[in-house]
Amino acid sequence: STTTKSAAAVDAAAAPTSYSVVDHSQEYEDAMAGRHGQQLELAQIDGIGKDGSDSDPLKILEALDMQLNESILVSSIDQEQQQGKQCMEEA
């Protein structure tokens, strides 16, 4: 296969410099066609629809934390009420 270089790449290769000009495009295409590319594609597909504010992980965690705190508070109040009822029954 013949690698076609852009005019800028050819000019850069012709100009004296202390840096190397290396074309990794074929290696990149090979990598993207392989397992790594497949994993990236699956991750991209999995992420569809998950980039809106409804799927913000921090907001979801905050909501879960609030639910947990409310649950603990309700449980604590229920426990205090039960203890109060027991005290009233014993008195």
Side-chain angles (χ1 to χ4, degrees):
S1 83
T2 305
T3 303
T4 305
K5 294 184 179 182
S6 69
V10 171
D11 289 342
T17 179
S18 60
Y19 299 102
S20 313
V21 176
V22 181
D23 181 8
H24 290 290
S25 60
Q26 186 60 46
E27 290 83 356
Y28 175 80
E29 289 177 21
D30 292 345
M32 291 301 107
R35 293 191 63 184
H36 181 64
Q38 291 172 357
Q39 289 297 317
L40 290 175
E41 186 176 348
L42 289 173
Q44 184 178 19
I45 291 169
D46 185 53
I48 293 173
K50 295 181 180 177
D51 54 356
S53 62
D54 293 343
S55 59
D56 182 357
L58 294 177
K59 287 184 180 180
I60 293 170
L61 287 175
E62 286 174 3
L64 290 172
D65 190 44
M66 287 178 60
Q67 287 177 349
L68 177 62
N69 288 337
E70 288 174 10
S71 175
I72 291 170
L73 180 61
V74 168
S75 177
S76 176
I77 291 171
D78 287 347
Q79 191 176 22
E80 287 177 8
Q81 288 176 347
Q82 289 296 327
Q83 290 174 349
K85 286 180 184 178
Q86 287 176 351
C87 287
M88 295 293 282
E89 290 173 358
E90 292 175 2

